Amino acid sequence: QVQLMESGGGLVQPGGSLRLSCAASESILSINSMGWYRQAPGKERESVAGITRGGTTNYADSVKGRFTISKDNAKNTVYLQMNSLKTEDTAVYYCDARIPPGWTKYTEVWGQGTRVTVSP
């Protein structure tokens, strides 16, 4: 089974930037889609951004124009560039992978998470 390892979290001030990385233990060409979720204290986990094997992306309305998801197939890594960070972006960010056989029938794998704290 593929394993995911997030990194890049930290403490930043509002308006700052971070780049999160999600490194997969196997070729991400074998993964249908990957994405980022986040969970803030006391709140439910929410989807932030996703990218398919073919490069199609989607974003939560709350991060559109500020966050960019991308991937590097050669490095087996998905990134989340986070700009113009707000205090409400504070959360543990998790990488997610959805693995074939299908787009609606799949195995879902999660990383351990990386903490992002946005505070003045």
Side-chain angles (χ1 to χ4, degrees):
Q1 183 71 280
V2 65
Q3 293 180 302
L4 306 175
M5 181 68 176
E6 302 99 330
S7 62
L11 173 65
V12 295
Q13 294 183 224
S17 298
L18 284 173
R19 188 180 74 164
L20 306 184
S21 298
C22 174
S25 62
E26 302 174 8
S27 172
I28 60 175
L29 294 175
S30 67
I31 301 171
N32 280 346
S33 66
M34 300 183 70
W36 291 94
Y37 289 71
R38 67 186 181 188
Q39 187 164 26
K43 300 188 68 176
E44 296 182 354
R45 196 124 107 187
E46 64 174 346
S47 177
V48 175
I51 186 166
T52 69
R53 183 170 57 216
T56 301
T57 60
N58 65 275
Y59 299 91
D61 288 343
S62 60
V63 306
K64 285 181 179 177
R66 300 190 297 119
F67 292 9
T68 303
I69 188 169
S70 62
K71 63 187 178 78
D72 187 332
N73 293 333
K75 296 181 179 179
N76 295 331
T77 300
V78 172
Y79 304 97
L80 184 68
Q81 179 65 47
M82 309 165 66
N83 297 326
S84 302
L85 283 162
K86 305 174 181 179
T87 56
E88 52 262 44
D89 295 318
T90 295
V92 177
Y93 284 71
Y94 297 90
C95 184
D96 163 82
R98 296 182 177 185
I99 303 165
W103 292 95
T104 58
K105 179 70 173 180
Y106 52 81
T107 298
E108 191 163 25
V109 177
W110 296 89
Q112 297 298 306
T114 185
R115 185 183 302 274
V116 172
T117 302
V118 185
S119 176

